[in-house]
Amino acid sequence: MRLGPTQVLFLRLGAIACLLGAVVTAFVAITVDSTAPGSEAVSVADDPQEIALPDPGLFGSQVVVYGASGDTGVSPSDLGCRLLTRDGAEQSTARMSALRVLSTPAITVEDQRLDPLFTVGSYPRGSVLACSDAQAVAPMALSRPSTFGTAATMVRVSAVLATPTLLVVGVGGLLVLRRRA
């Protein structure tokens, strides 16, 4: 089968895009932190009724909220939690999820066990978590922000597997197309 010059051009562009994709996935594989949050990666809230969330990353972030509840996956509404913007406007409760922490292990901070209560994700910079009934689970703590949340391990594994695949396809494509020129 004979390829026309336009087809060869687009196939070369595709091979180059695969090589660029390999660089991006290698960067992701190296930089994504897939370790489970431990007690050294949390910050205890001074006032559990008003917790300033850490600045999100470039692609957004997710934090795990911990508390001394004795139970994993407490609904934010049970604690009277509301997510507020910097200027006090209430955000959607869909950003808070008690289901995403069911497989997250408890941590120990200052000899006290803190269970994962819920996650807060996709929040804008300057957000505040205001919980009116937080004294029941005090002290409360926040994990450090994670761009991919609980899916960080899956993202890292996918990037590790995609990098050599993209390299092979990109280099192979350029070699095959070089012979056709």
Side-chain angles (χ1 to χ4, degrees), residues 33-115:
D33 183 15
S34 59
T35 58
S39 56
E40 69 281 346
V42 299
S43 58
V44 178
D46 296 330
D47 180 10
Q49 292 184 338
E50 189 171 311
I51 304 169
L53 297 177
D55 285 342
L58 179 62
F59 301 110
S61 292
Q62 175 179 303
V63 294
V64 178
V65 179
Y66 292 91
S69 71
D71 192 20
T72 298
V74 175
S75 172
S77 61
D78 292 345
L79 301 174
C81 293
R82 298 176 307 134
L83 188 59
L84 306 174
T85 60
R86 182 183 324 216
D87 55 354
E90 190 166 345
Q91 299 182 50
S92 170
T93 57
R95 297 176 189 262
M96 299 182 286
S97 171
L99 296 177
R100 292 188 180 155
V101 296
L102 294 181
S103 63
T104 305
I107 59 169
T108 303
V109 176
E110 298 174 2
D111 296 329
Q112 185 168 14
R113 176 188 163 110
L114 298 180
D115 297 300

Side-chain angles (χ1 to χ4, degrees), residues 1-13 15 172-181:
M1 181 172 127
R2 185 91 174 123
L3 297 175
T6 305
Q7 291 170 321
V8 170
L9 173 68
F10 280 105
L11 289 172
R12 279 193 180 130
L13 289 174
L174 288 177
L175 288 175
V176 168
L177 291 172
R178 189 177 77 176
R179 291 186 192 143
R180 295 208 179 250

